[in-house]
Amino acid sequence: MNYESLLWDGVLKRKQRNYNQILKYEYLLNEFKKIKRNCRNRKMVYLFEMNLNQNLLIILKELYQKKYKFSNYRVFIINNPKYRIIMSENMSDKLVNHLVSSQILLPILEPVLIDTNVATRIGKGSGYAFNVLVKYINSLCLLKQEIYILKIDIKKYFYSINHEILLSKIKEYIKDPKILMIVKEIINTTNESYLNNEIDRLKKIEINKVKRMQISQKEKNIKIKQIENLPKYQYKKGLPTGNMTSQILAVFYLNGLDHYIKEELKCKYYIRYMDDLVILDYDYNFR
């Protein structure tokens, strides 16, 4: 084992926390304050806040006793800018997701990501990605007048993430079995059969809405095709859309590929924004 590996092992050991360490009232209260600032469902926030202390203590007790059960998602379809499936949590589940994210996933997984893995990360995002892309193009144009860009888009990325593969990757960095169990329970919430049943029901409703629209038949057919193509969940595949943990885990899932492209393939000019990958070079056969 080289010096760099030993150093990284030391970083991981310092960041490791056991399950009981994250179960603190002040942590949960802080997550509620963050959610309250950003949550659009003001009624849900208000009802939860009416008995805030009691609700937070119940969540902590159930987590401590390992009896916490995640509720069904509220599923709905939006059509702006395109048809998409959205899944909404109740306040308790949202709090647990935020707690796991802020106290475990972010501190441990964030440092292993490459700098140009830019989606949904503090200080990164689409603006950062654009600036890096411009910087890469300018650097390459100084070397050659003609440059090449390879763009890769992973189809239905969130729905294709394999639970077992994801968990095996997480286990490389998180060792506490109780923490791994709660992460696994969050991931496995997409295995419930009600989800696909609800998606099918909502698809029918949306298709009927389109049929009643005052638009051309061609436009109707396009919209109906988009609705019919909305993905469903396969067993042990896919992350719930909308969860804070899902954003972090989806960013992390291809981390091995990021390092392979940068370090093994020596692709100096590489950016990934979730399921969109871009490689730039002035040499078409850069290998």
Side-chain angles (χ1 to χ4, degrees):
M1 182 179 291
N2 60 31
Y3 173 76
E4 186 177 345
S5 297
L6 286 169
L7 182 63
W8 177 241
D9 282 350
V11 171
L12 280 181
K13 286 175 182 177
R14 288 196 299 274
K15 288 183 176 293
Q16 286 296 328
R17 310 182 73 181
N18 65 49
Y19 182 73
N20 289 345
Q21 283 179 311
I22 74 169
L23 303 184
K24 293 186 177 181
Y25 179 87
E26 57 267 34
Y27 291 163
L28 208 56
L29 178 60
N30 189 48
E31 296 308 320
F32 174 77
K33 290 177 180 177
K34 287 190 243 178
I35 293 169
K36 181 181 177 180
R37 285 196 298 268
N38 301 307
C39 185
R40 295 179 181 178
N41 190 337
R42 307 312 299 172
K43 181 179 178 181
M44 179 176 73
V45 173
Y46 172 74
L47 291 175
F48 191 90
E49 196 171 22
M50 285 179 65
N51 297 292
L52 180 60
N53 289 338
Q54 181 180 355
N55 288 332
L56 295 181
L57 290 171
I58 288 172
I59 294 171
L60 287 171
K61 180 181 178 181
E62 290 178 352
L63 287 172
Y64 183 78
Q65 295 177 341
K66 296 186 290 296
K67 293 180 179 179
Y68 188 87
K69 299 296 180 186
F70 291 93
S71 302
N72 288 358
Y73 294 99
R74 176 175 170 252
V75 185
F76 51 98
I77 294 175
I78 62 172
N79 61 3
N80 186 20
K82 62 181 181 179
Y83 284 101
R84 288 189 299 135
I85 294 167
I86 300 295
M87 295 157 61
S88 175
E89 311 157 278
N90 65 30
M91 181 57 77
S92 294
D93 291 351
K94 193 181 288 287
L95 277 165
V96 174
N97 260 276
H98 275 62
L99 181 69
V100 171
S101 298
S102 64
Q103 296 299 320
I104 296 297
L105 298 182
L106 277 172
I108 294 178
L109 301 184
E110 171 83 14
V112 310
L113 305 178
I114 66 170
D115 181 64
T116 54
N117 176 354
V118 296
T120 68
R121 296 171 65 188
I122 295 174
K124 308 283 185 184
S126 57
Y128 182 84
F130 176 78
N131 291 334
V132 172
L133 182 63
V134 171
K135 177 184 174 183
Y136 283 172
I137 291 172
N138 289 337
S139 297
L140 287 164
C141 285
L142 289 173
L143 300 171
K144 295 281 184 178
Q145 287 187 332
E146 190 175 59
I147 65 174
Y148 299 92
I149 300 176
L150 173 63
K151 186 178 182 299
I152 303 168
D153 180 21
I154 301 175
K155 188 177 181 181
K156 297 176 181 175
Y157 177 56
F158 261 78
Y159 295 87
S160 63
I161 291 175
N162 184 291
H163 292 184
E164 295 303 320
I165 293 174
L166 175 58
L167 286 166
S168 69
K169 292 176 181 292
I170 293 170
K171 287 176 183 176
E172 294 179 24
Y173 302 101
I174 297 175
K175 305 304 180 183
D176 188 299
K178 294 177 184 177
I179 291 175
L180 289 169
M181 182 56 66
I182 192 73
V183 173
K184 182 177 181 179
E185 287 175 4
I186 292 170
I187 294 170
N188 285 345
T189 55
T190 62
N191 290 337
E192 302 295 329
S193 60
Y194 81 89
L195 265 179
N196 284 337
N197 293 336
E198 185 64 4
I199 290 170
D200 283 335
R201 185 184 73 83
L202 292 170
K203 281 184 178 183
K204 291 177 182 177
I205 292 173
E206 289 299 318
I207 288 172
N208 286 331
K209 286 181 183 177
V210 171
K211 288 179 179 178
R212 294 194 297 270
M213 288 180 177
Q214 300 299 312
I215 56 177
S216 69
Q217 189 58 49
K218 182 179 179 180
E219 290 175 301
K220 288 182 180 181
N221 291 341
I222 291 172
K223 288 180 178 293
I224 289 171
K225 189 68 174 177
Q226 290 174 347
I227 296 167
E228 289 174 341
N229 286 338
L230 286 172
K232 296 198 294 186
Y233 285 99
Q234 300 178 50
Y235 187 67
K236 291 191 175 182
K237 280 190 176 182
L239 295 177
T241 57
N243 282 14
M244 187 175 182
T245 50
S246 294
Q247 297 295 316
I248 301 165
L249 294 174
V251 165
F252 167 74
Y253 187 65
L254 294 180
N255 181 55
L257 176 63
D258 294 337
H259 283 278
Y260 176 76
I261 290 172
K262 289 284 287 185
E263 295 153 18
E264 298 296 324
L265 298 183
K266 308 296 183 184
C267 295
K268 183 178 179 180
Y269 306 101
Y270 168 71
I271 306 169
R272 177 162 72 89
Y273 193 97
M274 197 62 80
D275 55 348
D276 291 308
L277 294 73
V278 177
I279 301 173
L280 303 91
D281 207 280
Y282 62 83
D283 183 2
Y284 185 82
N285 300 303
F286 70 93
R287 292 295 311 274

